[in-house]
Amino acid sequence: MSTTSLLISILLVFVSYTIHSQNSEKTIDSLNTEKTQLKPTTLQLLKYDGLSIYKGIKNTYTRPFKWKKKDWITFGGILAGTGILLTVDKPANTYFTEQSDEIPNGIKETGFRFGKPLLNYGLTTSVYAIGLFTKNENIRKTGVLLIASATAGGLIQTVSKTLAGRARPNTGKGNLSFHFWSDEPGFHSFPSGHSILSFTTAYAIGKQFNNPYLKGGIYAIGLLSPVSRLWAGAHWLTDVGLGIAISIVIVDGIDNYLKKTERYVYQHKQNKIKWNLKLGAGQIGVVGRF
């Protein structure tokens, strides 16, 4: 078994077992749309969750039309942060690529694979399948959040890459070189698809836990893929930073939508932790504030 397969297997088993243990007393087996005492069938749950995924994705794309002042402030902050990172793209690229030879190949390969669609969707659908067949609502809800967020983010990054046509660092074109609507892989740098998929998965799973150390560990795994793209010189720091920001916005948006519409039972958390992205020249991380 490869390092990546082992990592994903351990993460899947651990997450599924822990979520089940923490919330076994709070699971429900009734659909919110049906006022009945009968337990729903697996097919009914599948249809219900499929609709939840669709509505979650739809909410992601329609939500900007309903943004309020604080949402526009967040949007402006992301744009400002991206602009700041743009000024350190080149020195950051030099720094990370120089570190590449010192990083074990297993770690770099794991980071690369974790952000690939095939492996990522294998993990997300596996989490959902466990929740579906065990009829554990919290695991099902986590699977729905994972699939909806990854799909919404994946579509955004696919369109954005082609539309922006930004040159990758390893092309030698510079961080301000753009070929709009380019179909060349060398001009599909902005934003980082690996960053969006990997951190979307880690952030969505991390939201299910209260323990800050466990959250931090899961988020660290999610950051491994973005950093691996910097080591490889495949993306600029702005590509990675924006990718992570997009992940957080999408996951939070879909999660809030599922809560607001009460499509699933959510456990109330007494101790909330606010996680903020921290990026800078030569460093990337997530800071939790109690």
Side-chain angles (χ1 to χ4, degrees), residues 13-279:
V13 173
F14 180 71
V15 167
S16 300
Y17 174 80
T18 307
I19 292 177
H20 184 275
S21 299
Q22 288 183 337
N23 300 279
S24 59
E25 296 181 356
K26 293 184 177 291
T27 58
I28 65 171
D29 292 313
S30 60
L31 293 173
N32 295 345
T33 55
E34 294 184 10
K35 305 303 182 180
T36 177
Q37 297 297 322
L38 298 177
K39 291 184 179 181
T41 65
T42 300
L43 182 58
Q44 287 176 316
L45 291 174
L46 183 61
K47 290 180 178 179
Y48 185 81
D49 295 337
L51 183 60
S52 296
I53 292 172
Y54 167 75
K55 289 186 174 181
I57 296 172
K58 180 181 178 181
N59 178 75
T60 298
Y61 299 139
T62 58
R63 184 63 186 170
F65 297 104
K66 303 175 183 178
W67 278 357
K68 298 180 179 179
K69 182 178 180 180
K70 65 177 182 178
D71 299 309
W72 286 108
I73 292 176
T74 299
F75 179 71
I78 292 175
L79 290 182
T82 301
I84 293 173
L85 290 182
L86 188 66
T87 64
V88 296
D89 263 340
K90 292 183 178 180
N93 176 64
T94 299
Y95 173 81
F96 281 104
T97 53
E98 287 178 349
Q99 311 305 312
S100 180
D101 292 339
E102 306 298 325
I103 308 300
N105 289 331
I107 294 179
K108 290 189 289 187
E109 183 68 13
T110 297
F112 174 73
R113 296 297 176 186
F114 190 57
K116 297 288 287 184
L118 181 61
L119 189 61
N120 192 277
Y121 270 99
L123 171 62
T124 57
T125 55
S126 295
V127 170
Y128 173 70
I130 291 175
L132 177 64
F133 292 114
T134 62
K135 294 189 177 180
N136 182 300
E137 178 160 321
N138 196 68
I139 300 179
R140 278 177 43 233
K141 178 260 295 180
T142 302
V144 166
L145 179 61
L146 284 166
I147 295 173
S149 299
T151 302
L155 291 174
I156 289 175
Q157 66 90 15
T158 298
V159 174
S160 299
K161 280 186 173 184
T162 301
L163 177 63
R166 189 186 195 188
R168 297 181 184 274
N170 51 24
T171 63
K173 298 290 185 178
N175 67 330
L176 296 179
S177 178
F178 296 87
H179 287 183
F180 301 111
W181 291 107
S182 175
D183 58 356
E184 299 179 39
F187 289 86
H188 282 182
S189 186
F190 187 77
S192 168
H194 277 73
S195 298
I196 290 177
L197 280 181
S198 64
F199 200 74
T200 290
T201 299
Y203 187 62
I205 292 176
K207 285 174 70 71
Q208 311 309 312
F209 301 96
N210 293 322
N211 189 305
Y213 300 105
L214 184 56
K215 278 181 179 286
I218 294 174
Y219 292 163
I221 294 175
L223 288 172
L224 182 59
S225 189
V227 175
S228 73
R229 305 306 285 156
L230 296 175
W231 287 330
H235 284 287
W236 301 101
L237 186 60
T238 42
D239 302 329
V240 169
L242 183 61
I244 294 174
I246 289 174
S247 300
I248 294 173
V249 170
I250 289 177
V251 172
D252 280 344
I254 294 178
D255 194 37
N256 290 335
Y257 169 77
L258 295 177
K259 288 180 181 178
K260 183 178 180 180
T261 56
E262 298 182 345
R263 295 191 66 81
Y264 301 93
V265 170
Y266 275 75
Q267 180 180 359
H268 295 289
K269 300 177 181 179
Q270 297 179 347
N271 298 319
K272 293 185 178 181
I273 302 173
K274 184 176 181 180
W275 293 90
N276 298 308
L277 176 65
K278 183 178 181 180
L279 294 172

